[in-house]
Amino acid sequence: MGKILVTGGTGYIGSHTTVELIQAGFKVVIVDNLFNSVIETLDGIKEITGVKPDFEKFDLCDYDRLKEFFKKYPDIDSIVHFAAHKAVGESVRDPLKYYHNNLVSLINLLKIATKKNIKNFVFSSSCTVYGEPEELPVTEETPTKGQASPYGNTKSISEEILRDVAKTHDINVISLRYFNPVGAHDSILIGELPLGKPENLVPYITQTAAGIRKELKIFGNDYDTPDGYNIRDYIHIVDLAKAHVVALKRLLEKKNKLEFEIYNLGTGKGSSTMEVVKTFEKATGQKLNYRIVGRRPGDVVAVYTDASLAEEELGWKAQRTLEDMLKSAWEWEKKYRNIQ
Ligand code: UD1
């Protein structure tokens, strides 16, 4: 059995997936430029699994360095590709940074993968490709739209590139469209490490509870939803990570029906922002300081998945509840901040 290249493997989703891959018996080599992650994550992975994966620090936009890397690791037979910039707001301010990094790195990887006869490729996509969906729940058939952000565009364009390459080359691709991943590993040895002020809801909640932020601002309560707040499909990071192992095995065992397949990864249950806040308070016993403010530009009203295709085809289903997610996010925050 060959090695699995996990790009972005020290990042949030990458590190949790690396743990699941190692625990499933795979040999992993991580490439990460540590742009938005820390090397110490490897220690967490080692403590959980007993294995420190091979690690190489470089930028995937550097094609010569990538060629060197494949000389050193000739036995790689699959790629799970996470490495990308992911801050929506920043992508609006600096679109070229996003288009360059997210697309050039993918193209470089595909160029080398097709040369080296690597046949299996799992891609990290996002429900952001659906924009504001006309119908809920969202299925894989729901039309994708021009995106509100360059970040979203890079995900859609990446999928198109992968679709074309899978059509013409002997490479099989599964694109996983994540809904809203939250929480941390049960061991609390790895978790999400947002740099600076978080843009996402759950890290903002845990940092507010930890006293690092004064208050959580809730963006809008006048939406056309049952309680007036936005609705999202939050999914536990460990459930999400496990889906990558299942997807990779499907490719390795040649069970995929198409050369390019797409799966939505969510729980199938939408939760409103206020439900998240209330569930956090109930699950952790922490009173949250929050204030309702105006809408955040670019936010979609509601998005949650129909989770049936992943269950039917991959045999994968999210197991953990919103309460589990928020409890583990809080345990991670407490550990990270040394809160008793
Ligand atoms: C955002 C991105 C999405 C990306 C995802 C990655 C936007 C428009 N979308 O999704 O493209 O794939 O992150 O994780 O940025 N909220 C508050 N207060 C806060 C933060 C968030 O009320 O301080 C609300 C938001 O208005 C939203 C919900 O919480 O309704 C979830 O927000 P967030 O965690 O940022 O995720 P998305 O906006 O769904």
Side-chain angles (χ1 to χ4, degrees):
M1 195 169 72
K3 280 195 171 149
I4 315 298
L5 165 58
V6 177
T7 75
T10 47
Y12 177 43
I13 307 177
S15 59
H16 287 80
T17 300
T18 297
V19 163
E20 297 301 323
L21 285 168
I22 293 172
Q23 289 180 335
F26 290 102
K27 290 200 175 65
V28 172
V29 47
I30 291 175
V31 170
D32 202 303
N33 61 5
L34 300 179
F35 178 87
N36 192 20
S37 60
V38 295
I39 189 79
E40 290 75 21
T41 304
L42 294 177
D43 301 331
I45 294 172
K46 162 106 197 282
E47 221 173 312
I48 298 168
T49 62
V51 176
K52 196 159 183 172
D54 291 331
F55 175 78
E56 301 285 337
K57 179 181 176 232
F58 68 91
D59 196 319
L60 294 167
C61 292
D62 182 348
Y63 190 66
D64 290 336
R65 182 67 184 82
L66 192 59
K67 275 200 306 206
E68 286 305 310
F69 167 81
F70 272 95
K71 272 188 203 141
K72 185 169 169 190
Y73 297 93
D75 53 344
I76 289 172
D77 67 10
S78 309
I79 299 175
V80 185
H81 180 41
F82 295 102
H85 292 330
K86 62 170 186 178
V88 177
E90 185 191 38
S91 81
V92 175
R93 292 189 299 275
D94 194 353
L96 280 176
K97 175 175 173 181
Y98 274 67
Y99 287 118
H100 180 83
N101 181 72
N102 292 7
L103 299 179
V104 173
S105 57
L106 174 70
I107 290 166
N108 282 349
L109 270 176
L110 287 172
K111 267 161 67 179
I112 200 112
T114 49
K115 276 201 186 98
K116 300 275 171 194
N117 215 13
I118 291 170
K119 294 196 167 50
N120 315 300
F121 198 102
V122 177
F123 180 65
S124 170
S125 187
S126 166
C127 70
T128 194
V129 301
Y130 297 114
E132 180 81 67
E134 263 144 46
E135 268 179 47
L136 288 167
V138 168
T139 73
E140 290 76 357
E141 303 297 314
T142 299
T144 57
K145 296 186 180 159
Q147 305 309 315
S149 74
Y151 158 76
N153 275 334
T154 68
K155 291 295 175 192
S156 296
I157 296 165
S158 294
E159 285 191 347
E160 292 312 313
I161 293 171
L162 286 160
R163 191 192 303 276
D164 287 342
V165 172
K167 216 184 287 169
T168 49
H169 291 77
D170 187 16
I171 187 165
N172 289 278
V173 179
I174 293 184
S175 183
L176 299 174
R177 291 177 175 166
Y178 315 144
F179 282 65
N180 288 54
V182 297
H185 193 263
D186 299 333
S187 64
I188 313 297
L189 290 164
I190 54 172
E192 189 171 10
L193 283 172
L195 284 186
K197 200 167 162 187
E199 285 191 23
N200 295 119
L201 178 64
V202 172
Y204 213 101
I205 287 179
T206 56
Q207 290 196 9
T208 306
I212 293 148
R213 309 282 156 209
K214 197 168 104 277
E215 62 178 10
L216 168 75
K217 293 185 183 65
I218 298 181
F219 300 130
N221 64 349
D222 56 353
Y223 284 100
D224 184 17
T225 57
D227 67 1
Y229 296 91
N230 285 149
I231 293 173
R232 297 287 182 273
D233 188 340
Y234 296 91
I235 171 165
H236 197 295
I237 187 70
V238 172
D239 278 332
L240 189 80
K242 286 178 191 295
H244 294 75
V245 178
V246 176
L248 182 65
K249 282 187 175 159
R250 179 175 174 94
L251 294 177
L252 284 162
E253 291 162 10
K254 305 197 185 310
K255 290 195 176 137
N256 52 309
K257 293 182 180 151
L258 306 167
E259 69 260 350
F260 178 74
E261 293 185 335
I262 293 173
Y263 296 99
N264 288 347
L265 298 182
T267 61
K269 186 181 168 297
S271 304
S272 80
T273 306
M274 187 51 81
E275 265 179 89
V276 175
V277 167
K278 291 294 161 201
T279 307
F280 177 82
E281 291 189 329
K282 191 162 152 257
T284 64
Q286 296 294 311
K287 188 91 194 73
L288 205 62
N289 192 20
Y290 66 81
R291 187 159 60 93
I292 292 147
V293 299
R295 296 180 177 194
R296 177 170 73 175
D299 268 342
V300 302
V301 179
V303 63
Y304 53 93
T305 190
D306 174 335
S308 51
L309 188 69
E311 186 172 359
E312 279 156 28
E313 287 296 324
L314 301 177
W316 170 90
K317 191 173 187 278
Q319 304 293 331
R320 298 168 186 230
T321 64
L322 185 61
E323 202 170 323
D324 298 333
M325 301 173 209
L326 297 169
K327 241 191 221 162
S328 77
W330 177 233
E331 289 305 317
W332 167 251
E333 186 76 50
K334 278 199 298 185
K335 183 187 162 212
Y336 189 64
R337 309 282 172 193
N338 265 322
I339 297 169
Q340 296 312 311

